[in-house]
Amino acid sequence: MRTVAVFSEADRGSLHVRQADEAFCVGPGPVARSYLNIPNVISTALITGCDAVHPGYGFLAENARFAEICADHGLTFIGPKPSVIAAMGDKATAKRVMHDAGVATTPGTDILASIDEARKAAKKIGYPVLLKATAGGGGKGMRTVENEHDLDRAFSSATAEAEASFKDGRLYMEKLIIDPRHIEVQVLADSFGNVVHLGERDCSVQKPSHQKLIEEAPAPNLSQKARNALHDMAVRACKHVGYSNAGTLEFLVSGDQVFFMEMNTRIQVEHPVTEMVYSIDLVKEQIRIASGETLGYTQRDLAARGHAIECRINAEDSSNNFAPQAGTLADVVFPGGPGIRVDTHVYAGATIPPYYDSMLAKIVAFGETRDAAIARMERALRETVVDGVNTTIGQCLEILAHPRFREGRYDIGFLPSLLKARV
Ligand code: MV4
């Protein structure tokens, strides 16, 4: 299959430009003028004779309007139907739809019409509660509220933040789940109603900004009861919404209790850990599904084997709130060997522009056991050289060596508390 890449003026030197069969510039560095410029992206696809568009992880990947515009121009959007993207993009709607499908959701409300309604709801749910932006996800416009006294202020500031970020200030409320794990389920669905899950990933190692740093599959120390509930709910949810393509359902897990949080209608950054344990190329499956093929296998044909871990190598100063680092990479050496995979866009001499996400590479380690995967990852990280900017390599090594990580007994509070203890 021949590929056409798009790039911004700041990304001329990025590896994807060289790896694709053809590459075209879609505008200057700032994302609004290049990667988010729909007319430029669509006209590149049309001029080069593309028949399908893979939207990647970010940018336009969960933009229902973009998916519609692709279809209007005879281009196959590699993703689910625009109506499903839109429904899952609105977090209050997604929760309502999932609840209707019989998926466990966090106790809470639909959109709150007023602060009065919020006050009544919080009393009924019981403090502490969480205000969330329906247009949000990822924590923007989210506020924890410990008691009635703090509610008015939290409601105003969350509304203002959501309005400023998304031009949609609408909020809903949930009971705060204390010390949960973030566990997500990978799904694949074709256009004929066939749905399978590809197990779960534990993504609880997150920075205070809610960005993931280390992910692993399968989730360690997960009860069979919780695991079955997660997998069953994910498949049921996809059948209910008429999902097609690859997707992820995010859950909060507390003991044996699981609560649906959000659904991502794209392929995710951390999909390689699932690819490693299932020996399935998820992007290939996305393309097969989008071209109208059936899955061609059922749940019984699928089984996870071994364990996989991903470390994100970001150009960030982990001792300074993970501040992004721009600059030129003086030297770069990536690891290899059995069970090691490196996905990257950089090389020695590459320039890191200030416009985009600070991720430089993903290092993924596979092992027959979790201990073997950890050992391989430690060796791979020690082999890695990225000189010229600060990176998260040291932070990842510190986490891998920590008893709570070793024992697989960490939750979403683990990395934030590790950072606080270091001061
Ligand atoms: C929650 C929660 C606890 N209880 N919802 C964070 C971002 C957004 N995706 C939802 N988030 C959370 N929702 C309830 N009812 C805790 C978080 C949360 C979190 C979730 C996953 C991974 C890291 C997190 C860090 C802080 C808070």
Side-chain angles (χ1 to χ4, degrees), residues 256-338:
D256 280 348
Q257 285 190 297
V258 309
F259 304 99
F260 168 79
M261 191 164 46
E262 290 171 18
M263 179 167 193
N264 298 319
T265 57
R266 62 174 192 278
I267 189 98
Q268 289 184 270
V269 166
E270 60 271 28
H271 75 276
V273 293
T274 300
E275 294 188 327
M276 292 286 235
V277 296
Y278 278 88
S279 296
I280 282 183
D281 179 337
L282 286 169
V283 176
K284 177 180 173 184
E285 295 308 293
Q286 286 192 291
I287 295 169
R288 282 207 314 111
I289 291 165
S291 60
E293 291 186 28
T294 59
L295 281 182
Y297 43 81
T298 65
Q299 195 66 56
R300 282 195 313 278
D301 301 317
L302 300 172
R305 193 189 115 232
H307 201 94
I309 302 178
E310 172 177 283
C311 286
R312 298 192 187 194
I313 312 306
N314 302 338
E316 290 172 351
D317 185 353
S318 53
S319 63
N320 179 26
N321 295 320
F322 297 92
Q325 311 284 293
T328 298
L329 303 182
D331 197 9
V332 175
V333 179
F334 283 119

Side-chain angles (χ1 to χ4, degrees), residues 63-99:
N63 184 317
R65 183 83 193 109
F66 178 68
E68 257 166 15
I69 293 170
C70 284
D72 290 346
H73 289 80
L75 297 161
T76 300
F77 176 82
I78 301 176
K81 290 181 298 209
S83 60
V84 174
I85 300 175
M88 295 302 115
D90 185 276
K91 303 309 171 188
T93 301
K95 231 187 124 177
R96 193 179 337 110
V97 169
M98 291 304 170
H99 180 79

Side-chain angles (χ1 to χ4, degrees), residues 91 95 105-107 128-132 136-140 142 144 172-183 203-212 250-252 259-262 264 411-413 416:
K91 303 309 171 188
K95 231 187 124 177
T105 56
T106 319
V129 296
L130 207 50
L131 292 168
K132 294 185 173 183
K140 263 224 185 91
M142 192 172 86
T144 303
Y172 63 105
M173 185 184 288
E174 286 184 353
K175 177 143 192 78
L176 181 74
I177 309 298
I178 308 293
D179 297 335
R181 302 168 67 179
H182 172 139
I183 300 180
C203 302
S204 301
V205 180
Q206 299 201 12
K207 301 186 274 185
S209 58
H210 306 298
Q211 286 161 312
K212 297 165 185 174
E250 299 185 338
F251 293 86
L252 295 172
F259 304 99
F260 168 79
M261 191 164 46
E262 290 171 18
N264 298 319
D411 57 39
I412 62 167

Side-chain angles (χ1 to χ4, degrees), residues 40-298:
N40 288 6
V41 173
I42 295 282
S43 42
T44 302
L46 293 176
I47 289 164
T48 55
C50 288
D51 45 24
V53 176
H54 193 298
Y57 311 125
F59 297 132
L60 300 168
E62 294 182 293
N63 184 317
R65 183 83 193 109
F66 178 68
E68 257 166 15
I69 293 170
C70 284
D72 290 346
H73 289 80
L75 297 161
T76 300
F77 176 82
I78 301 176
K81 290 181 298 209
S83 60
V84 174
I85 300 175
M88 295 302 115
D90 185 276
K91 303 309 171 188
T93 301
K95 231 187 124 177
R96 193 179 337 110
V97 169
M98 291 304 170
H99 180 79
D100 293 344
V103 172
T105 56
T106 319
T109 70
D110 210 315
I111 302 289
L112 296 161
S114 67
I115 178 73
D116 268 353
E117 199 179 316
R119 208 173 290 114
K120 282 182 195 132
K123 213 165 239 157
K124 196 165 152 207
I125 295 165
Y127 289 94
V129 296
L130 207 50
L131 292 168
K132 294 185 173 183
T134 191
K140 263 224 185 91
M142 192 172 86
R143 293 289 183 284
T144 303
V145 192
E146 298 289 344
N147 52 55
E148 180 159 10
H149 174 77
D150 295 341
L151 186 64
D152 282 37
R153 206 188 334 194
F155 192 89
S156 315
S157 73
T159 302
E161 188 175 310
E163 186 65 48
S165 305
F166 315 115
K167 299 193 188 93
D168 179 354
R170 292 174 303 150
L171 307 177
Y172 63 105
M173 185 184 288
E174 286 184 353
K175 177 143 192 78
L176 181 74
I177 309 298
I178 308 293
D179 297 335
R181 302 168 67 179
H182 172 139
I183 300 180
E184 58 190 29
V185 181
Q186 176 70 54
V187 292
L188 281 174
D190 67 20
S191 311
F192 309 94
N194 302 301
V195 182
V196 296
H197 70 77
L198 287 95
E200 79 284 350
R201 298 184 282 258
D202 195 320
C203 302
S204 301
V205 180
Q206 299 201 12
K207 301 186 274 185
S209 58
H210 306 298
Q211 286 161 312
K212 297 165 185 174
L213 191 61
I214 297 181
E215 306 94 344
E216 61 178 313
N221 298 310
L222 185 65
S223 73
Q224 206 47 243
K225 188 176 167 199
R227 176 167 285 130
N228 290 339
L230 289 171
H231 296 174
D232 291 352
M233 284 178 194
V235 170
R236 197 174 328 139
C238 289
K239 289 188 171 158
H240 182 83
V241 303
Y243 197 79
S244 61
N245 223 277
T248 302
L249 290 97
E250 299 185 338
F251 293 86
L252 295 172
V253 177
S254 176
D256 280 348
Q257 285 190 297
V258 309
F259 304 99
F260 168 79
M261 191 164 46
E262 290 171 18
M263 179 167 193
N264 298 319
T265 57
R266 62 174 192 278
I267 189 98
Q268 289 184 270
V269 166
E270 60 271 28
H271 75 276
V273 293
T274 300
E275 294 188 327
M276 292 286 235
V277 296
Y278 278 88
S279 296
I280 282 183
D281 179 337
L282 286 169
V283 176
K284 177 180 173 184
E285 295 308 293
Q286 286 192 291
I287 295 169
R288 282 207 314 111
I289 291 165
S291 60
E293 291 186 28
T294 59
L295 281 182
Y297 43 81
T298 65

Side-chain angles (χ1 to χ4, degrees), residues 323-380:
Q325 311 284 293
T328 298
L329 303 182
D331 197 9
V332 175
V333 179
F334 283 119
I340 295 293
R341 164 175 170 178
V342 179
D343 289 10
T344 188
H345 64 97
V346 301
Y347 48 87
T351 303
I352 311 307
Y355 304 109
Y356 315 116
D357 187 274
S358 56
M359 189 162 56
L360 301 177
K362 306 185 279 192
I363 298 182
V364 189
F366 175 85
E368 292 299 335
T369 63
R370 184 168 185 269
D371 284 346
I374 293 173
R376 262 192 187 146
M377 179 63 85
E378 289 185 316
R379 189 268 295 166

